[in-house]
Coordinates of all heavy atoms in Angstrom, one line a residue:
M1 N 57.8 12.2 98.6 CA 57.8 11.7 97.4 C 59.2 11.6 96.7 O 60.0 12.4 96.9 CB 56.9 12.7 96.5 CG 55.5 12.4 96.8 SD 54.7 13.2 95.4 CE 53.0 12.7 95.9
D2 N 59.3 10.7 95.8 CA 60.6 10.5 95.0 C 60.4 11.0 93.6 O 59.4 11.6 93.3 CB 61.0 9.0 95.0 CG 59.9 8.1 94.3 OD1 59.0 8.7 93.6 OD2 60.1 7.0 94.4
S3 N 61.4 10.6 92.8 CA 61.4 11.3 91.4 C 60.3 10.8 90.4 O 59.9 11.2 89.5 CB 62.8 11.0 90.8 OG 63.0 9.6 90.7
L4 N 59.8 9.6 90.8 CA 58.6 9.0 90.1 C 57.3 9.6 90.5 O 56.3 9.2 90.0 CB 58.6 7.5 90.1 CG 59.9 6.9 89.4 CD1 59.8 5.3 89.7 CD2 60.0 7.2 88.0
G5 N 57.1 10.4 91.6 CA 56.0 11.0 92.0 C 55.2 10.1 92.9 O 53.9 10.4 93.0
S6 N 55.6 9.2 93.5 CA 54.6 8.3 94.4 C 55.6 7.8 95.6 O 56.7 7.5 95.4 CB 54.1 7.2 93.5 OG 53.4 6.4 94.5
S7 N 54.9 7.7 96.6 CA 55.6 7.1 97.9 C 55.3 5.7 98.0 O 55.9 5.1 98.9 CB 55.2 7.9 99.1 OG 53.8 7.8 99.4
D8 N 54.3 5.2 97.3 CA 54.0 3.8 97.4 C 54.9 2.9 96.5 O 55.1 3.2 95.3 CB 52.5 3.5 96.8 CG 52.0 2.3 96.9 OD1 52.5 1.4 97.5 OD2 51.1 1.9 96.1
P9 N 55.6 2.0 97.2 CA 56.6 1.2 96.4 C 56.0 0.5 95.1 O 56.6 0.3 94.2 CB 57.1 0.1 97.4 CG 56.7 0.9 98.7 CD 55.5 1.7 98.6
K10 N 54.8 -0.1 95.3 CA 54.1 -0.8 94.3 C 53.9 0.1 93.0 O 54.2 -0.2 91.8 CB 52.8 -1.4 94.6 CG 52.2 -2.3 93.5 CD 51.0 -2.9 94.1 CE 50.2 -3.8 93.0 NZ 49.1 -4.3 93.6
E11 N 53.4 1.4 93.3 CA 53.1 2.4 92.2 C 54.6 2.8 91.5 O 54.6 2.9 90.4 CB 52.5 3.6 92.8 CG 51.0 3.3 93.0 CD 50.3 4.5 93.6 OE1 50.8 5.7 93.3 OE2 49.3 4.3 94.3
R12 N 55.6 2.9 92.3 CA 57.0 3.3 91.8 C 57.5 2.2 90.9 O 57.9 2.5 89.9 CB 57.9 3.5 93.0 CG 57.7 4.8 93.7 CD 58.9 5.2 94.6 NE 59.5 4.1 95.4 CZ 59.3 4.0 96.6 NH1 58.5 4.8 97.3 NH2 59.8 3.0 97.2
L13 N 57.3 1.0 91.3 CA 57.7 -0.2 90.5 C 57.0 -0.4 89.3 O 57.6 -0.4 88.1 CB 57.6 -1.4 91.4 CG 58.1 -2.7 90.6 CD1 59.5 -2.6 90.2 CD2 57.8 -4.0 91.5
M14 N 55.7 -0.1 89.3 CA 54.9 -0.1 88.1 C 55.2 1.0 87.1 O 55.2 0.8 85.9 CB 53.4 -0.1 88.4 CG 52.9 -1.3 89.1 SD 52.9 -2.8 88.2 CE 51.7 -2.4 87.0
E15 N 55.5 2.1 87.6 CA 55.8 3.3 86.9 C 57.3 3.0 86.2 O 57.4 3.4 85.1 CB 55.9 4.6 87.7 CG 56.1 5.8 86.8 CD 55.2 6.1 85.7 OE1 53.8 5.7 86.0 OE2 55.4 6.6 84.7
Q16 N 58.1 2.4 87.0 CA 59.4 2.1 86.5 C 59.4 1.0 85.3 O 60.0 1.1 84.3 CB 60.4 1.6 87.6 CG 61.8 1.3 87.2 CD 62.7 0.8 88.2 OE1 62.2 0.8 89.4 NE2 63.9 0.5 87.9
V17 N 58.6 0.0 85.6 CA 58.4 -1.0 84.5 C 57.8 -0.5 83.2 O 58.2 -0.7 82.1 CB 57.4 -2.1 85.1 CG1 57.0 -3.0 83.9 CG2 58.2 -2.9 86.2
K18 N 56.8 0.6 83.4 CA 56.2 1.2 82.3 C 57.2 2.0 81.5 O 57.3 2.0 80.3 CB 55.1 2.2 82.7 CG 53.9 1.3 83.1 CD 52.8 2.5 83.5 CE 51.5 1.9 84.2 NZ 50.6 2.8 84.6
Q19 N 58.2 2.8 82.3 CA 59.1 3.6 81.6 C 60.1 2.6 80.9 O 60.6 3.0 79.7 CB 59.9 4.5 82.6 CG 59.0 5.6 83.2 CD 59.6 6.4 84.2 OE1 60.7 6.1 84.7 NE2 59.0 7.3 84.8
E20 N 60.5 1.6 81.5 CA 61.5 0.6 80.8 C 60.9 0.0 79.6 O 61.6 -0.1 78.6 CB 61.9 -0.4 81.8 CG 62.9 0.2 82.9 CD 63.2 -0.8 84.0 OE1 63.0 -2.0 83.9 OE2 63.9 -0.5 85.0
A21 N 59.6 -0.3 79.6 CA 58.9 -0.9 78.4 C 58.9 0.1 77.4 O 59.0 -0.2 76.2 CB 57.5 -1.4 78.9
A22 N 58.6 1.3 77.7 CA 58.5 2.3 76.7 C 59.9 2.6 75.9 O 60.0 2.8 74.8 CB 58.0 3.5 77.4
M23 N 61.0 2.5 76.8 CA 62.3 2.7 76.2 C 62.7 1.5 75.3 O 63.2 1.8 74.3 CB 63.4 2.8 77.4 CG 63.2 4.1 78.1 SD 63.7 5.5 77.0 CE 65.3 5.2 76.7
T24 N 62.3 0.4 75.7 CA 62.6 -0.8 74.9 C 61.7 -0.8 73.6 O 62.3 -1.0 72.5 CB 62.2 -2.1 75.6 OG1 62.9 -2.2 76.8 CG2 62.4 -3.4 74.8
N25 N 60.5 -0.3 73.8 CA 59.8 -0.2 72.5 C 60.3 0.8 71.5 O 60.3 0.6 70.4 CB 58.3 0.2 72.8 CG 57.5 -1.0 73.4 OD1 57.9 -2.3 73.2 ND2 56.4 -0.7 74.2
A26 N 60.8 1.9 72.0 CA 61.3 3.0 71.3 C 62.6 2.5 70.7 O 62.9 2.8 69.5 CB 61.7 4.2 72.2
R27 N 63.4 1.8 71.4 CA 64.8 1.3 70.7 C 64.3 0.4 69.6 O 65.1 0.3 68.6 CB 65.6 0.5 71.8 CG 66.4 1.5 72.5 CD 67.4 0.6 73.4 NE 67.6 1.2 74.7 CZ 67.0 0.9 75.8 NH1 66.3 -0.2 75.8 NH2 67.1 1.7 76.8
Q28 N 63.4 -0.6 69.9 CA 63.1 -1.5 68.8 C 62.5 -0.8 67.6 O 62.7 -1.3 66.5 CB 62.0 -2.5 69.3 CG 62.6 -3.5 70.4 CD 61.6 -4.3 71.1 OE1 60.3 -4.1 71.0 NE2 62.0 -5.5 71.6
L29 N 61.7 0.2 67.8 CA 61.1 1.0 66.6 C 62.3 1.6 65.9 O 62.3 1.5 64.8 CB 60.3 2.1 67.2 CG 59.5 2.9 66.1 CD1 58.8 2.3 65.2 CD2 58.9 4.2 66.9
I30 N 63.3 2.3 66.5 CA 64.3 2.9 65.8 C 65.1 1.8 65.0 O 65.4 1.9 64.0 CB 65.2 3.6 66.8 CG1 64.5 4.8 67.3 CG2 66.5 4.0 66.1 CD1 65.0 5.5 68.4
E31 N 65.4 0.6 65.7 CA 66.1 -0.4 65.1 C 65.4 -0.9 63.7 O 66.0 -1.1 62.7 CB 66.4 -1.6 66.0 CG 67.4 -1.3 67.0 CD 67.4 -2.4 68.1 OE1 66.8 -3.5 68.0 OE2 68.0 -2.3 69.1
K32 N 64.0 -1.1 63.8 CA 63.2 -1.5 62.7 C 63.2 -0.6 61.6 O 63.4 -0.9 60.4 CB 61.8 -1.9 63.1 CG 61.7 -3.3 64.0 CD 62.1 -4.4 63.2 CE 61.9 -5.7 63.9 NZ 62.4 -6.9 63.2
V33 N 63.1 0.6 62.0 CA 63.0 1.7 60.9 C 64.4 1.8 60.3 O 64.4 1.8 59.0 CB 62.6 3.1 61.6 CG1 63.1 4.3 60.6 CG2 61.3 3.1 62.0
N34 N 65.5 1.7 61.0 CA 66.8 1.8 60.3 C 67.0 0.5 59.5 O 67.5 0.7 58.3 CB 67.9 2.0 61.4 CG 68.1 3.3 62.0 OD1 67.6 4.3 61.3 ND2 68.5 3.3 63.1
E35 N 66.7 -0.6 59.9 CA 66.9 -1.8 59.3 C 66.0 -1.9 57.9 O 66.5 -1.9 56.9 CB 66.5 -3.0 60.2 CG 66.6 -4.3 59.5 CD 66.1 -5.4 60.3 OE1 66.6 -5.5 61.5 OE2 65.2 -6.2 60.0
H36 N 64.7 -1.5 58.0 CA 63.8 -1.6 56.9 C 64.2 -0.5 55.9 O 64.3 -0.7 54.7 CB 62.4 -1.4 57.4 CG 61.4 -1.3 56.3 ND1 61.0 -2.3 55.5 CD2 60.8 -0.3 55.8 CE1 60.1 -1.9 54.7 NE2 59.9 -0.8 54.9
C37 N 64.3 0.8 56.4 CA 64.4 1.9 55.4 C 65.8 1.8 54.9 O 66.0 2.2 53.7 CB 64.2 3.2 56.2 SG 62.4 3.3 56.6
F38 N 66.8 1.5 55.6 CA 68.2 1.5 55.1 C 68.2 0.4 53.9 O 68.8 0.7 52.8 CB 69.2 1.1 56.1 CG 70.6 1.4 55.7 CD1 71.2 2.5 55.7 CD2 71.4 0.3 55.2 CE1 72.5 2.8 55.3 CE2 72.7 0.5 54.8 CZ 73.3 1.8 54.8
E39 N 67.7 -0.8 54.2 CA 67.8 -1.8 53.1 C 67.0 -1.4 51.9 O 67.4 -1.7 50.8 CB 67.1 -3.1 53.7 CG 68.0 -3.9 54.6 CD 67.4 -5.0 55.2 OE1 66.3 -5.4 54.9 OE2 68.0 -5.7 56.1
R40 N 65.9 -0.7 52.1 CA 65.1 -0.2 51.0 C 65.6 0.9 50.2 O 65.5 0.9 49.0 CB 63.6 0.3 51.5 CG 62.8 0.6 50.4 CD 61.4 0.9 51.1 NE 60.5 1.2 50.1 CZ 59.7 2.3 50.1 NH1 59.9 3.2 51.2 NH2 58.9 2.7 49.2
C41 N 66.3 1.8 50.9 CA 66.8 3.1 50.1 C 68.2 3.2 49.9 O 68.6 4.1 49.2 CB 66.4 4.1 51.2 SG 64.6 4.4 51.4
V42 N 69.1 2.3 50.5 CA 70.5 2.3 50.2 C 71.0 1.0 49.7 O 71.3 0.2 50.4 CB 71.2 2.9 51.5 CG1 72.7 3.0 51.2 CG2 70.6 4.1 52.2
P43 N 70.8 0.8 48.3 CA 71.1 -0.4 47.8 C 72.7 -0.7 47.9 O 73.1 -1.9 48.0 CB 70.7 -0.4 46.4 CG 70.5 1.0 46.1 CD 70.2 1.7 47.4
K44 N 73.5 0.4 47.7 CA 74.9 0.2 47.7 C 75.5 1.3 48.7 O 75.9 2.3 48.2 CB 75.6 0.3 46.3 CG 75.1 -0.7 45.2 CD 75.6 -0.5 43.9 CE 75.2 -1.6 43.0 NZ 75.7 -1.4 41.6
P45 N 75.7 0.8 50.0 CA 76.3 1.8 50.9 C 77.6 2.3 50.4 O 78.4 1.7 49.8 CB 76.4 1.0 52.1 CG 75.5 -0.1 52.0 CD 75.5 -0.5 50.5
G46 N 77.8 3.7 50.7 CA 79.1 4.2 50.3 C 79.5 5.2 51.6 O 79.0 5.0 52.6
A47 N 80.4 6.1 51.3 CA 80.9 7.0 52.3 C 79.8 7.9 52.9 O 79.9 8.4 53.9 CB 82.1 7.7 51.7
S48 N 78.9 8.2 51.9 CA 77.7 9.2 52.3 C 76.6 8.8 51.4 O 76.6 8.1 50.5 CB 78.2 10.7 52.0 OG 78.3 11.0 50.6
L49 N 75.4 9.4 51.9 CA 74.2 9.1 51.3 C 74.0 10.1 50.2 O 74.3 11.3 50.3 CB 73.0 9.2 52.1 CG 72.9 8.2 53.3 CD1 71.8 8.5 54.3 CD2 72.8 6.8 52.8
S50 N 73.4 9.7 49.0 CA 73.0 10.6 47.9 C 71.8 11.3 48.4 O 71.1 10.9 49.2 CB 72.8 9.8 46.6 OG 71.6 9.0 46.7
S51 N 71.5 12.5 47.6 CA 70.3 13.2 48.0 C 69.0 12.3 47.8 O 68.1 12.3 48.6 CB 70.1 14.5 47.1 OG 69.9 14.2 45.8
G52 N 69.0 11.4 46.7 CA 68.0 10.5 46.4 C 67.8 9.5 47.6 O 66.6 9.2 48.0
E53 N 68.8 9.0 48.0 CA 68.9 8.1 49.3 C 68.4 8.8 50.5 O 67.5 8.3 51.2 CB 70.2 7.4 49.5 CG 70.7 6.5 48.3 CD 72.1 6.1 48.5 OE1 72.9 6.9 49.0 OE2 72.5 5.0 47.9
T54 N 68.9 10.0 50.7 CA 68.4 10.8 51.9 C 66.8 11.0 51.8 O 66.2 10.9 52.8 CB 69.2 12.1 51.9 OG1 70.5 11.7 52.0 CG2 68.7 12.8 53.2
T55 N 66.4 11.4 50.7 CA 64.9 11.7 50.4 C 64.1 10.5 50.7 O 63.2 10.4 51.5 CB 64.7 12.3 49.1 OG1 65.4 13.4 48.9 CG2 63.1 12.5 49.0
C56 N 64.6 9.3 50.1 CA 63.9 8.0 50.2 C 63.8 7.7 51.7 O 62.8 7.2 52.2 CB 64.7 6.9 49.4 SG 64.0 5.2 49.6
F57 N 64.9 7.7 52.3 CA 65.3 7.3 53.8 C 64.2 8.1 54.6 O 63.5 7.7 55.5 CB 66.6 7.5 54.3 CG 67.0 6.7 55.4 CD1 67.1 5.3 55.4 CD2 67.0 7.4 56.8 CE1 67.4 4.5 56.7 CE2 67.3 6.7 57.9 CZ 67.6 5.3 57.9
T58 N 64.1 9.4 54.4 CA 63.2 10.4 55.2 C 61.9 9.9 55.0 O 61.1 9.9 56.0 CB 63.5 11.9 54.8 OG1 64.9 12.2 55.0 CG2 62.6 12.7 55.5
H59 N 61.4 9.8 53.7 CA 60.0 9.5 53.4 C 59.6 8.2 54.1 O 58.6 7.9 54.6 CB 59.6 9.4 51.9 CG 59.6 10.8 51.3 ND1 60.2 11.1 50.1 CD2 59.1 12.0 51.8 CE1 60.1 12.4 49.9 NE2 59.4 12.9 50.8
C60 N 60.6 7.1 54.0 CA 60.4 5.8 54.6 C 60.1 5.8 56.1 O 59.2 5.3 56.7 CB 61.6 4.9 54.1 SG 61.4 3.3 54.8
M61 N 60.9 6.6 56.7 CA 60.9 6.8 58.2 C 59.5 7.5 58.6 O 58.9 7.1 59.5 CB 62.0 7.6 58.6 CG 63.4 6.9 58.7 SD 64.8 7.6 59.7 CE 64.5 9.4 59.3
E62 N 59.1 8.4 57.7 CA 57.9 9.2 58.1 C 56.8 8.3 58.0 O 55.9 8.2 58.8 CB 57.7 10.4 57.3 CG 58.6 11.5 57.6 CD 58.6 12.7 56.5 OE1 58.0 12.6 55.5 OE2 59.4 13.7 56.8
K63 N 56.7 7.5 56.8 CA 55.6 6.5 56.8 C 55.6 5.4 57.8 O 54.6 5.0 58.3 CB 55.9 5.8 55.4 CG 55.4 6.7 54.3 CD 55.6 6.0 52.8 CE 55.4 6.9 51.8 NZ 55.6 6.1 50.4
Y64 N 56.8 4.9 58.1 CA 56.9 3.9 59.2 C 56.4 4.4 60.6 O 55.6 3.7 61.3 CB 58.4 3.4 59.2 CG 58.5 2.0 59.8 CD1 58.5 1.0 59.1 CD2 58.7 2.0 61.2 CE1 58.8 -0.4 59.6 CE2 58.7 0.6 61.8 CZ 58.9 -0.5 61.0 OH 59.1 -1.8 61.5
M65 N 56.8 5.7 60.8 CA 56.4 6.2 62.2 C 54.9 6.5 62.1 O 54.3 6.4 63.3 CB 57.2 7.6 62.4 CG 58.7 7.3 62.5 SD 59.1 6.4 64.0 CE 58.9 7.6 65.2
Q66 N 54.3 7.0 61.1 CA 53.0 7.2 60.9 C 52.2 5.8 61.1 O 51.2 5.8 61.9 CB 52.6 7.8 59.7 CG 51.1 8.1 59.6 CD 50.5 9.1 60.7 OE1 51.2 10.1 61.0 NE2 49.4 8.8 61.1
A67 N 52.6 4.8 60.4 CA 51.9 3.5 60.6 C 52.1 3.0 62.1 O 51.0 2.5 62.6 CB 52.7 2.5 59.6
W68 N 53.2 3.1 62.6 CA 53.4 2.7 64.2 C 52.5 3.6 65.0 O 51.9 3.0 65.8 CB 54.8 2.9 64.5 CG 55.1 2.5 65.9 CD1 55.3 1.2 66.2 CD2 55.1 3.3 67.0 NE1 55.6 1.2 67.7 CE2 55.5 2.6 68.2 CE3 54.9 4.7 67.2 CZ2 55.4 3.0 69.5 CZ3 55.0 5.2 68.5 CH2 55.2 4.3 69.6
S69 N 52.4 4.7 64.7 CA 51.5 5.6 65.5 C 50.0 5.2 65.4 O 49.3 5.1 66.3 CB 51.7 7.2 65.1 OG 50.9 8.0 65.9
T70 N 49.6 4.8 64.2 CA 48.2 4.5 64.0 C 48.0 3.2 64.7 O 47.0 3.0 65.4 CB 48.0 4.4 62.6 OG1 48.1 5.6 61.8 CG2 46.7 3.8 62.3
V71 N 48.9 2.2 64.6 CA 48.8 0.9 65.2 C 48.8 1.2 66.8 O 47.9 0.5 67.5 CB 49.9 -0.1 64.9 CG1 49.8 -1.3 65.7 CG2 49.7 -0.5 63.4
R72 N 49.6 1.9 67.3 CA 49.7 2.2 68.7 C 48.5 2.8 69.3 O 47.8 2.4 70.2 CB 50.9 3.3 69.0 CG 50.9 3.6 70.5 CD 52.1 4.7 70.7 NE 52.0 5.2 71.9 CZ 51.2 6.2 72.3 NH1 50.4 6.8 71.4 NH2 51.1 6.7 73.5
Q73 N 47.7 3.8 68.5 CA 46.6 4.4 69.0 C 45.5 3.4 68.9 O 44.6 3.4 70.0 CB 46.2 5.6 68.0 CG 45.1 6.4 68.6 CD 45.4 6.9 70.0 OE1 46.4 7.5 70.3 NE2 44.4 6.7 70.9
S74 N 45.4 2.6 67.9 CA 44.4 1.5 67.8 C 44.6 0.5 69.0 O 43.5 0.2 69.6 CB 44.5 0.7 66.5 OG 44.2 1.6 65.4
Y75 N 45.8 0.2 69.3 CA 46.0 -0.7 70.4 C 45.5 -0.1 71.8 O 44.8 -0.7 72.5 CB 47.5 -1.1 70.4 CG 47.9 -2.0 71.8 CD1 47.5 -3.3 71.7 CD2 48.4 -1.3 72.8 CE1 47.8 -4.0 72.9 CE2 48.8 -2.2 73.8 CZ 48.4 -3.4 73.9 OH 48.8 -4.3 75.0
L76 N 45.9 1.2 72.0 CA 45.4 1.8 73.2 C 44.0 2.0 73.3 O 43.4 1.7 74.4 CB 46.1 3.3 73.4 CG 47.5 3.3 73.5 CD1 48.2 4.7 73.4 CD2 48.0 2.6 74.8
N77 N 43.3 2.3 72.2 CA 41.9 2.3 72.2 C 41.2 0.9 72.5 O 40.3 0.9 73.3 CB 41.2 2.8 70.9 CG 41.6 4.2 70.7 OD1 41.8 5.0 71.6 ND2 41.5 4.7 69.4
R78 N 41.8 0.0 72.1 CA 41.4 -1.5 72.2 C 41.5 -1.8 73.8 O 40.6 -2.4 74.4 CB 42.1 -2.4 71.4 CG 41.8 -3.9 71.6 CD 40.6 -4.3 70.9 NE 40.2 -5.7 71.2 CZ 40.4 -6.7 70.3 NH1 40.9 -6.4 69.2 NH2 39.9 -7.9 70.7
M79 N 42.7 -1.4 74.3 CA 42.8 -1.7 75.7 C 41.8 -1.0 76.6 O 41.4 -1.6 77.6 CB 44.3 -1.2 76.2 CG 45.4 -2.1 75.5 SD 45.3 -3.9 76.1 CE 45.7 -3.8 77.7
K80 N 41.6 0.4 76.3 CA 40.5 1.0 77.1 C 39.2 0.3 77.0 O 38.4 0.2 78.0 CB 40.4 2.5 76.5 CG 41.5 3.3 76.9 CD 41.3 4.7 76.3 CE 42.6 5.6 76.5 NZ 42.3 6.9 76.0
V81 N 38.8 -0.2 75.7 CA 37.5 -0.9 75.6 C 37.6 -2.1 76.4 O 36.6 -2.4 77.1 CB 37.2 -1.2 74.1 CG1 36.2 -2.2 73.9 CG2 36.9 0.0 73.3
E82 N 38.6 -3.0 76.5 CA 38.7 -4.1 77.1 C 38.6 -3.8 78.8 O 38.0 -4.7 79.4 CB 39.9 -5.0 76.9 CG 40.1 -5.5 75.4 CD 38.9 -6.6 75.1 OE1 38.6 -7.4 76.0 OE2 38.3 -6.4 74.0
Q83 N 39.4 -2.9 79.1 CA 39.2 -2.5 80.5 C 37.9 -2.1 80.9 O 37.5 -2.4 82.0 CB 40.2 -1.3 80.9 CG 41.6 -1.9 80.9 CD 42.8 -0.7 81.1 OE1 42.4 0.5 81.1 NE2 43.9 -1.0 81.4
G84 N 37.2 -1.4 80.1 CA 35.8 -1.1 80.3 C 34.9 -2.3 80.5 O 34.0 -2.3 81.4
K85 N 35.2 -3.2 79.7 CA 34.3 -4.5 79.8 C 34.6 -5.3 81.0 O 33.8 -5.9 81.6 CB 34.7 -5.4 78.5 CG 34.2 -5.0 77.2 CD 34.5 -5.9 76.2 CE 34.1 -5.5 74.8 NZ 34.5 -6.4 73.7
Q86 N 35.8 -5.2 81.6 CA 36.2 -5.8 82.9 C 35.9 -4.9 84.0 O 36.3 -5.3 85.2 CB 37.8 -6.0 82.8 CG 38.1 -7.1 81.7 CD 39.5 -7.2 81.6 OE1 40.4 -6.6 82.5 NE2 40.1 -8.1 80.7
G87 N 35.4 -3.9 83.9 CA 35.0 -2.9 84.9 C 36.1 -2.2 85.5 O 36.2 -1.8 86.7
G88 N 37.2 -2.0 84.7 CA 38.3 -1.2 85.1 C 39.3 -1.9 86.0 O 40.2 -1.3 86.6
V89 N 39.2 -3.3 86.0 CA 40.2 -4.0 86.9 C 41.5 -4.2 86.3 O 41.6 -4.4 85.0 CB 39.5 -5.5 87.2 CG1 40.5 -6.3 87.9 CG2 38.1 -5.4 87.8
G90 N 42.5 -4.0 87.0 CA 43.9 -4.1 86.6 C 44.5 -2.7 86.1 O 43.7 -1.7 86.1
G91 N 45.7 -2.7 85.9 CA 46.4 -1.5 85.6 C 46.3 -1.2 84.1 O 46.0 -2.1 83.3
S92 N 46.7 0.0 83.6 CA 46.8 0.4 82.3 C 48.2 0.5 81.8 O 49.0 1.1 82.5 CB 46.1 1.7 82.0 OG 46.6 2.6 82.7
F93 N 48.6 -0.2 80.6 CA 49.8 0.1 80.0 C 49.8 0.8 78.7 O 49.0 0.6 78.0 CB 50.5 -1.3 79.9 CG 51.1 -1.9 81.1 CD1 50.3 -2.6 82.0 CD2 52.5 -1.7 81.3 CE1 50.8 -3.0 83.1 CE2 52.9 -2.3 82.5 CZ 52.1 -2.9 83.4

């Protein structure tokens, strides 16, 4: 067995693709949070953030992450339902 836990090349490749997709999604999420929250909370960038900007940025990130988590969970639930309708054919992402 290798570091991905499977000796089947197809399974290893699928696991690698899943991991790469997860990393890409995480990067995009961080970029969007930074872009959205920074624009919203820091109207005039300076050498450092004020306490109000820091609080705003923290609350914005928490809300954004919660919304993303809710959407992600809904999507996963929908995928499970769709796979069930298809008789479990295909892989799960």
Side-chain angles (χ1 to χ4, degrees):
M1 280 197 173
D2 64 11
S3 62
L4 294 176
S6 175
S7 60
D8 181 19
K10 184 177 179 181
E11 287 180 28
R12 286 195 315 258
L13 180 59
M14 290 298 291
E15 187 62 30
Q16 182 178 0
V17 168
K18 287 179 188 179
Q19 289 175 0
E20 289 175 10
M23 288 299 294
T24 298
N25 287 338
R27 272 190 224 105
Q28 288 175 344
L29 175 63
I30 291 168
E31 288 172 9
K32 288 291 184 188
V33 166
N34 282 335
E35 178 183 309
H36 174 75
C37 294
F38 191 82
E39 287 177 5
R40 181 171 180 238
C41 297
V42 186
K44 295 181 181 178
S48 63
L49 296 176
S50 70
S51 67
E53 291 170 336
T54 300
T55 300
C56 177
F57 199 77
T58 300
H59 288 139
C60 181
M61 287 188 326
E62 288 172 354
K63 288 178 184 178
Y64 202 93
M65 296 294 284
Q66 182 60 44
W68 182 83
S69 181
T70 300
V71 169
R72 178 186 166 274
Q73 190 58 48
S74 295
Y75 175 76
L76 291 174
N77 290 340
R78 175 81 184 255
M79 292 299 293
K80 286 180 184 177
V81 168
E82 292 298 320
Q83 284 181 343
K85 287 181 182 177
Q86 296 174 2
V89 176
S92 63
F93 280 84

